Amino acid sequence: MMFVGFFGILLAGVAGADVYKCANVYKDMECDGVISAEGSEWSVTCNRTTVTVKGIAMCGGGLNSKSDVVSVVDSVAGAMCYCKMIKPAVSIWVQVTDIKDQVTCSNYCATACAEQFVINQNAMRDTMLDSVVQ
């Protein structure tokens, strides 16, 4: 019985502890092109750091950069693709500039986010890493 009580105290102490995770993610890292995109989620693997970067994609009509909110209600709703890194850190939304219509956006946005992060097209990766939410 005493052992069970000690084990419970040990677990309670561990459950309340803060956990921090460090990731070596930097602007000029080399990503190997292994991408995954399903629905609104995307991910890439960067080979030197062995970090899996995950993100979300959203089709919208505009971006309010001051509040980092994608608008879905305006004259071109759903025509532009936006990407956001959510792991290992959270970034601001970044627009994929070569998608400008609703059909392409709905079919290709998450894949475009992953591809553009890998090749750092239009400095997407730089923008995301510069803007990591503190």
Side-chain angles (χ1 to χ4, degrees), residues 62-71 84 92-93 131 133:
L63 176 66
N64 181 336
S65 59
K66 291 183 180 181
S67 61
D68 192 38
V69 174
V70 175
S71 165
K84 185 173 203 162
I92 62 169
W93 289 101
S131 71
V133 176

Side-chain angles (χ1 to χ4, degrees), residues 4-15:
V4 172
F6 177 77
F7 187 71
I9 292 170
L10 182 64
L11 285 178
V14 172

Side-chain angles (χ1 to χ4, degrees), residues 39-42 54-72 80-86 89-97 105 109-110 113 122-133:
S40 64
E41 298 177 0
W42 58 271
K54 293 184 178 186
I56 53 176
M58 181 176 184
C59 295
L63 176 66
N64 181 336
S65 59
K66 291 183 180 181
S67 61
D68 192 38
V69 174
V70 175
S71 165
V72 292
M80 294 180 274
C81 174
Y82 295 92
C83 313
K84 185 173 203 162
M85 178 176 60
I86 59 172
V90 178
S91 75
I92 62 169
W93 289 101
V94 178
Q95 183 182 359
V96 175
T97 56
C105 192
C109 187
C113 290
N122 299 319
M124 173 190 270
R125 186 186 318 152
D126 293 356
T127 302
M128 285 183 174
L129 294 177
D130 281 343
S131 71
V132 168
V133 176

Side-chain angles (χ1 to χ4, degrees), residues 12-129:
V14 172
D18 289 332
V19 177
Y20 295 94
K21 180 179 178 185
C22 296
N24 188 12
V25 181
Y26 48 93
K27 293 179 192 176
D28 63 347
M29 66 187 168
E30 291 181 20
C31 299
D32 56 16
V34 176
I35 66 169
S36 172
E38 186 173 327
S40 64
E41 298 177 0
W42 58 271
S43 66
V44 300
T45 302
C46 299
N47 55 9
R48 267 198 263 161
T49 60
T50 62
V51 170
T52 299
V53 176
K54 293 184 178 186
I56 53 176
M58 181 176 184
C59 295
L63 176 66
N64 181 336
S65 59
K66 291 183 180 181
S67 61
D68 192 38
V69 174
V70 175
S71 165
V72 292
V73 182
D74 69 14
S75 60
V76 290
M80 294 180 274
C81 174
Y82 295 92
C83 313
K84 185 173 203 162
M85 178 176 60
I86 59 172
K87 182 182 177 187
V90 178
S91 75
I92 62 169
W93 289 101
V94 178
Q95 183 182 359
V96 175
T97 56
D98 60 349
I99 294 180
K100 298 195 185 306
D101 67 81
Q102 292 176 351
V103 173
T104 304
C105 192
S106 64
N107 292 333
Y108 186 64
C109 187
T111 301
C113 290
E115 289 176 350
Q116 289 198 14
F117 189 92
V118 167
I119 62 174
N120 201 19
Q121 183 172 336
N122 299 319
M124 173 190 270
R125 186 186 318 152
D126 293 356
T127 302
M128 285 183 174
L129 294 177

